[in-house]
Structures are given as C-alpha cells and as structure tokens.
Amino acid sequence: MKDKKQLTKSETQVMNALWGLPDSQGYSSEIMSRLPDPKPAPTTLLTFLKILKDKGFVESVKKGKAHLFIAIVKREDYLRHYMADVKTAFFGGSLSSLVSFFAKEENLSEQEINDIIDIINHKK
C-alpha cells in the first residue's frame, strides 16, 4: 500500500460507497445508490472509477454489458496508511500528540473518555 496515492474527497466518497457493498464490489448503479446527495452524473462516477482503477484502488471485470467494480485496497489498509501520513505530517510522528489534539478538539463525553481508556488498558 505504500505506493498508493492519497484519495481526493470525491474519490473517498466513491471508495466508501464501494467498501460498503457486500465483498466491497458492485456495479456503478449500486455504488451510485450509496453516494451522498447531490449525486454525480453517471459519467462522472465512471470517470472517478477509472481514476481509482488507474491509482490501483479498484479493478473491474466485464459482466455482459456492465462492469463489476471491485475494491482491491481494503478500507482498513487505506485508513492505516492515511492516518500514518497524518501522524507524520502534522504531529511529528507522535501518536500521543495526535490523540491529545483530538481529545482537546472533540469535546469528548465522559463515556467516550472511559471507552478510550479501556481500549488503551486492553492494549497493554
């Protein structure tokens, strides 16, 4: 995954729609149905899918007259790569700085703080 490029906001929306389908695969109409409004034109969606294919995130298989689009990068793998880049670029590689930033910015509830503490304690 280290050679993969970052996704734009629109590409991320398309990938989230594709990742949300069973087995992370579907036809353009199924992907379109999962996109937020305002939805792109069908030709625009196909352009995004071609870009994602060129970037190595998606492959397609011709099924009759249609194409089945398949995510070849798992959501978790992309998220791990993306967050590692954020951690390095904005927090000097420090996980504690990243977590501290979000803890201060997010106005966490007491329950959310306890949940985070439980996650940390179970990691030990």
Side-chain angles (χ1 to χ4, degrees):
M1 168 89 227
K2 70 178 178 179
D3 293 336
K4 298 284 187 262
K5 298 179 180 179
Q6 296 292 336
L7 298 173
T8 65
K9 180 179 177 182
S10 295
E11 292 165 355
T12 300
Q13 288 178 334
V14 172
M15 286 304 299
N16 278 329
L18 185 55
W19 283 322
L21 290 167
D23 298 322
S24 296
Q25 58 183 300
Y27 296 97
S28 60
S29 61
E30 295 172 307
I31 297 167
M32 181 73 80
S33 72
R34 291 180 166 264
L35 291 174
D37 289 326
K39 296 185 187 309
T43 54
T44 302
L45 174 58
L46 291 173
T47 299
F48 283 130
L49 289 164
K50 183 189 179 319
I51 291 167
L52 290 165
K53 188 175 178 181
D54 292 344
K55 285 184 171 184
F57 285 88
V58 171
E59 66 182 10
S60 65
V61 177
K62 190 166 173 106
K63 301 272 186 171
K65 292 183 178 182
H67 283 86
L68 178 68
F69 295 95
I70 304 160
I72 55 177
V73 173
K74 292 180 182 176
R75 184 179 194 280
E76 297 77 18
D77 292 341
Y78 180 72
L79 184 57
R80 187 177 301 110
H81 174 76
Y82 181 83
M83 290 307 297
D85 285 351
V86 168
K87 183 177 73 167
T88 299
F90 294 101
F91 301 99
S94 168
L95 180 61
S96 60
S97 293
L98 181 141
V99 171
S100 175
F101 172 80
F102 283 107
K104 291 175 187 170
E105 292 294 317
E106 288 297 317
N107 194 17
L108 298 172
S109 70
E110 189 172 331
Q111 182 60 50
E112 289 171 315
I113 292 169
N114 288 333
D115 291 346
I116 292 168
I117 290 169
D118 287 345
I119 291 167
I120 292 168
N121 286 335
H122 284 95
K123 181 73 176 166
K124 291 181 180 179

